[in-house]
Amino acid sequence: MAKTKDGLEYLWTDKKRTLFGLPLSFTRYYLTEDRLITRIGFLTVNEDELELYRIQDKKLKLPLSQRLFGCGSIILYSKDVDTPEKEIRSIKNPRQVSDLITACINEQRDRFSIRGRDMVGGIPGGPIEGNDF
């Protein structure tokens, strides 16, 4: 783990890869044990955080143009109102990063005693979304 000046410990960090798999971008990804942070920008920096326990599903995207340089993208689907779909674009070693994210998601769900079925359908015992009961 790497500790930074902002006091967070990162399990993984990488930049979005552009031309020939080089990290020539102002998009940076950080993974802590409980959230994924995306920081975009140079002069004005926008930061988006996604709590890992809210992630419901993920998909690995490996187009030929990225595979040639050992890169790929991960698409995360979450129960977050702000960011229902987050794409971690063109990163090195996408399979290992995907496995690391899965391990962190499971750790957070165990910590809060949450499983995927707990996040579907709203409040337990309440009305089911889409029905007019």
Side-chain angles (χ1 to χ4, degrees):
M1 277 193 237
K3 197 166 191 174
T4 62
K5 62 182 175 186
D6 57 3
L8 294 175
E9 291 188 14
Y10 300 128
L11 301 174
W12 168 83
T13 183
D14 198 2
K15 279 187 170 184
K16 176 181 160 188
R17 307 294 168 143
T18 56
L19 186 64
F20 303 118
L22 298 173
L24 304 172
S25 173
F26 295 113
T27 301
R28 187 149 193 114
Y29 304 107
Y30 302 94
L31 180 67
T32 67
E33 63 182 36
D34 61 345
R35 60 190 158 182
L36 175 71
I37 303 166
T38 305
R39 203 172 280 161
I40 302 170
F42 178 64
L43 296 176
T44 300
V45 177
N46 292 317
E47 192 171 286
D48 184 37
E49 292 185 10
L50 179 62
E51 298 287 335
L52 293 177
Y53 75 90
R54 292 180 170 269
I55 296 173
Q56 292 181 312
D57 197 14
K58 62 185 175 57
K59 178 168 71 170
L60 195 59
K61 194 164 91 173
L62 302 165
L64 178 63
S65 60
Q66 291 181 15
R67 275 190 321 212
L68 290 173
F69 304 105
C71 296
S73 297
I74 302 170
I75 302 171
L76 303 172
Y77 301 97
S78 73
K79 198 72 171 160
D80 191 43
V81 176
D82 226 15
T83 315
E85 187 176 310
K86 166 69 79 183
E87 185 171 0
I88 305 171
R89 292 187 182 176
S90 193
I91 56 169
K92 285 283 190 186
N93 305 316
R95 288 188 195 279
Q96 288 89 349
V97 174
S98 179
D99 292 343
L100 180 61
I101 290 172
T102 299
C104 290
I105 289 169
N106 290 333
E107 184 180 309
Q108 288 301 304
R109 286 184 178 172
D110 290 343
R111 182 175 160 208
F112 292 113
S113 300
I114 295 174
R115 288 286 120 202
R117 66 182 180 275
D118 296 335
M119 299 190 319
V120 177
I123 302 168
I128 298 173
E129 293 178 9
N131 290 341
D132 296 327
F133 289 65

